Amino acid sequence: MVMQLPEKGRPWAELEPEMQAMRGHDLDWKHGRHGAFVWYANDELEHVLRESFGMFLVENGLGVKAFPSIGRMENEVLAIVRSLLGGDEETAGIFTSGGTESIFQGITAMREWARKERPDVRQPEIVAPHSAHPALNKAAHLLGMEVRRVPVGADYRADPAAIAAAIGPETVGLYASAPSYSLGMVDPIPELGAIAAERGLWLHVDACVGGILAPFVREVGYEVPPFDFSVPGVASISADLHKSGYAAKPASTVTFRTRAHREFARYTFDDWPSGIYSSLTFTGTRPGGAIAAAWAALNFLGREGYREIAAASMRAKARIIAGLSVIDGLRVHGAPPLYAFAYGVEGVDMGAVAVQMIGRGWYSGRTTDPDGIHVMATPVHEPSADEYVAAVAACIDAVRRGAGGEVKAASYT
Ligand SMILES: Cc1ncc(COP(=O)(O)O)c(C=O)c1O
């Protein structure tokens, strides 16, 4: 029967157990059964996020004059992100609902900038490596822009020479990832920044997955290639708080090299009965709780907390990779520097392995080019690493022995 709005409401005492029961079939994110979708550190942080989100559940981030508390927290979050991304006093950001909105606002600014700076361009185009997240194409589609995707190099990173060669008269911007969703590769941003500077293009860096944690991954001793505003030529950077910032969803940022760059993302309208509507986000109403929870996460964790998360995530990644490396023919794709990676096995259909893994309760995202299984390691993946490796080994074995299961086309959503 199709669900109808009940005539009479039901008490929470009845709804709560029903909702808890619905969760029974969901991903077990507390125990590292996931390769993506959830960034979970620990119960203490979860408590802080719930409390802070709940405290500002009703407040609307659209009305920062009505809620100066939200305005203050938003500005402080953006100032922290700006400094994590190597910005200065001139650097200015926008708090958004997620990576997709951050990318959308970054690309909007790129298009509006091009309208001013390159009035000759009729069909603005962005050149990007094949590894770019689909949010780029979604934004371009909605903004009437084209995306030219260029094959990546042998190291699975953007190939600067191929990107340069693909730039045409209608190209207004470049796009790169730090890191990419599928294989966790950080593109050569300094080379791409130099191309952007030389050719007068806007370079957007999609650091949705790693932008917030990358400085701490460096601080605990790992090398992460340069990707932020310290690199000349970078105009805007998207970095999600609800991914490696370990904040509550929905929370992301898009930061611009200067306030003038950010102004290109603004939409202003006044031909209606309520005066000037001027906004830097795609959304109108914004959850005050998400802004509050992001502020609380940053202040609860501090640099020390993020270093601990970075170290635990990198240990989880290393432990999984070390365990997997004994499997015959298995190799990690490329050399991903942050906590995201993917692996495949020579001669084994990883789609079939993913089906087996999902059957055993391990949600496993796939990569197609090259064929693989993808992991975003977080602190909860450390204690489950050995179990994960054992499950992968058993599933590869089963597939090698001809275990079936319907292998569908890889899908991300
Ligand atoms: C590299 C990258 N960019 C953008 C996005 C989109 O972010 P969101 O799902 O928060 O809109 C994702 C999501 O995983 C991503 O991995």
Side-chain angles (χ1 to χ4, degrees):
M1 203 179 84
V2 179
M3 175 88 181
Q4 302 280 350
L5 180 65
E7 180 57 32
K8 251 175 102 48
R10 291 191 284 148
W12 176 239
E14 204 181 292
L15 299 177
E16 191 193 2
E18 189 176 325
M19 291 169 81
Q20 289 292 3
M22 282 194 248
R23 293 180 102 182
H25 301 291
D26 286 356
L27 176 71
D28 180 4
W29 41 265
K30 259 195 186 177
H31 300 101
R33 265 46 182 176
H34 55 296
F37 294 136
V38 169
W39 281 255
Y40 188 79
N42 57 53
D43 293 352
E44 294 74 33
L45 178 61
E46 185 189 355
H47 175 74
V48 169
L49 296 178
R50 272 185 204 286
E51 291 292 313
S52 52
F53 204 117
M55 189 186 292
F56 289 88
L57 183 75
V58 176
E59 279 77 359
N60 189 339
L62 178 61
V64 287
K65 288 198 190 99
F67 309 112
S69 55
I70 301 285
R72 176 184 152 185
M73 288 188 282
E74 177 172 29
N75 285 335
E76 291 183 3
V77 167
L78 292 172
I80 290 171
V81 171
R82 172 177 87 175
S83 73
L84 292 177
L85 295 177
D88 57 26
E89 287 297 295
E90 257 302 281
T91 314
I94 306 173
F95 191 108
T96 74
S97 61
T100 302
E101 189 188 356
S102 290
I103 290 164
F104 186 85
Q105 289 306 90
I107 301 301
T108 299
M110 179 196 288
R111 187 190 70 172
E112 295 305 297
W113 165 82
R115 278 184 173 164
K116 178 164 175 272
E117 299 295 325
R118 300 271 305 276
D120 53 302
V121 171
R122 294 180 158 270
Q123 177 57 72
E125 180 190 83
I126 303 156
V127 176
H130 184 245
S131 51
H133 189 274
L136 168 65
N137 283 68
K138 188 191 253 185
H141 172 70
L142 295 172
L143 291 164
M145 299 170 81
E146 297 286 334
V147 178
R148 191 180 289 195
R149 284 184 182 244
V150 176
V152 292
D155 58 359
Y156 304 118
R157 303 163 79 214
D159 173 353
I163 296 273
I167 295 168
E170 304 282 275
T171 304
V172 299
L174 305 180
Y175 186 96
S177 309
S180 60
Y181 175 82
S182 310
L183 303 187
M185 304 304 299
V186 174
D187 288 325
I189 308 297
E191 286 88 331
L192 297 173
I195 295 170
E198 191 195 318
R199 310 283 289 263
L201 304 172
W202 179 297
L203 171 59
H204 179 84
V205 175
D206 175 4
C208 285
V209 164
I212 306 293
L213 204 62
F216 305 104
V217 172
R218 283 197 189 111
E219 282 181 23
V220 296
Y222 300 85
E223 207 174 305
V224 179
F227 69 90
D228 61 17
F229 291 112
S230 61
V231 179
V234 173
S236 53
I237 304 176
S238 46
D240 290 358
L241 293 158
H242 65 200
K243 292 193 178 81
S244 70
Y246 286 78
K249 300 174 188 69
S252 171
T253 58
V254 55
T255 307
F256 297 85
R257 183 172 283 280
T258 68
R259 281 181 179 276
H261 283 88
R262 186 180 69 171
E263 274 311 296
F264 289 111
R266 186 181 295 282
Y267 181 74
T268 306
F269 185 81
D270 65 1
D271 187 13
W272 74 313
S274 278
I276 297 168
Y277 173 100
S278 177
S279 160
L280 284 167
T281 50
F282 180 80
T283 55
T285 285
R286 297 184 306 144
I291 295 168
W295 186 92
L298 292 166
N299 285 287
F300 177 73
L301 290 168
R303 300 191 74 90
E304 192 181 27
Y306 281 107
R307 274 196 297 274
E308 280 166 18
I309 289 178
S313 305
M314 296 305 280
R315 280 197 308 268
K317 174 190 170 197
R319 187 156 165 180
I320 293 172
I321 291 176
L324 292 175
S325 66
V326 301
I327 297 172
D328 192 29
L330 187 143
R331 65 188 171 87
V332 171
H333 296 312
L338 286 155
Y339 61 86
F341 65 99
Y343 58 90
V345 182
E346 204 63 47
V348 174
D349 177 352
M350 296 310 285
V353 175
V355 169
Q356 295 289 318
M357 288 291 284
I358 292 164
R360 290 167 196 234
W362 296 91
Y363 174 83
S364 298
R366 285 174 56 191
T367 65
T368 53
D369 189 12
D371 185 31
I373 285 182
H374 144 114
V375 181
M376 299 262 188
T378 69
V380 293
H381 292 89
E382 196 182 6
S384 61
D386 298 347
E387 246 188 295
Y388 176 80
V389 169
V392 173
C395 291
I396 290 172
D397 214 37
V399 169
R400 278 185 169 139
R401 284 187 284 102
E406 196 196 345
V407 181
K408 300 199 177 106
S411 80
Y412 159 58
T413 47

